[in-house]
Amino acid sequence: MNCNIDNVAELVKNSDPNVINKKLIDKLGWLVDYHLELIRWNQMTMLTRTLETQVKKL
């Protein structure tokens, strides 16, 4: 999904929070199984971006 979180909030403001929660779990629940991998990926991404910034300053 490529939209601003404010747009999403506006679209669901009158929706039942339980329905929204269930839909989010149905759609994204599989990510729970990859929690540690996602943390590592995020750390590597941050490291790579930091290194890239430092190299560009040389």
Side-chain angles (χ1 to χ4, degrees):
M1 188 150 114
N2 187 15
C3 66
N4 185 306
I5 192 66
D6 294 328
N7 293 344
V8 174
E10 185 67 26
L11 290 171
V12 298
K13 71 178 179 179
N14 295 322
S15 298
D16 180 358
N18 293 325
V19 171
I20 295 168
N21 189 45
K22 181 176 181 344
K23 286 184 178 188
L24 286 171
I25 290 172
D26 289 347
K27 185 77 170 178
L28 303 173
W30 63 274
L31 289 170
V32 172
D33 296 336
Y34 296 95
H35 177 76
L36 293 176
E37 289 83 356
L38 289 168
I39 290 171
R40 289 186 191 118
W41 174 81
N42 185 47
Q43 291 170 340
M44 287 188 293
T45 301
M46 289 174 54
L47 176 69
T48 302
R49 289 180 180 162
T50 302
L51 180 60
E52 180 182 32
T53 300
Q54 295 299 319
V55 168
K56 285 180 178 180
K57 290 180 180 181
L58 294 176

